Amino acid sequence: MAIENVWIEEGCISCGMCVQECPEVFKMDNALAVVKEDVDFNEYEESIKRAADICPAGIIKFS
């Protein structure tokens, strides 16, 4: 499945696990996780899926 969009819904608890799992796609900004711009999500598909799976708040989404 090709990933075209990645987003983070409200509720980030600032744990940084997504950044540890996939720093190419996620970064911390003002203590909240955000998705970096201009990233080829398909290149990091497996890491994005793992980051979504390990997010304790369950707020990382992709389509």
Side-chain angles (χ1 to χ4, degrees):
M1 168 181 135
I3 294 179
E4 295 180 15
N5 195 15
V6 178
W7 67 97
I8 300 175
E9 296 180 341
E10 273 190 55
C12 179
I13 62 170
S14 305
C15 69
M17 292 180 74
C18 58
V19 177
Q20 290 177 357
E21 180 62 42
C22 190
E24 299 84 3
V25 175
F26 303 100
K27 68 179 181 177
M28 297 303 287
D29 184 20
N30 292 324
L32 296 176
V34 296
V35 177
K36 293 181 178 180
E37 295 181 17
D38 300 322
V39 175
D40 179 2
F41 298 132
N42 290 314
E43 188 174 338
Y44 305 106
E45 181 175 346
E46 292 305 314
S47 293
I48 292 167
K49 289 178 179 178
R50 279 194 305 272
D53 284 343
I54 66 172
C55 176
I59 58 171
I60 297 174
K61 307 296 179 185
F62 58 90
S63 62

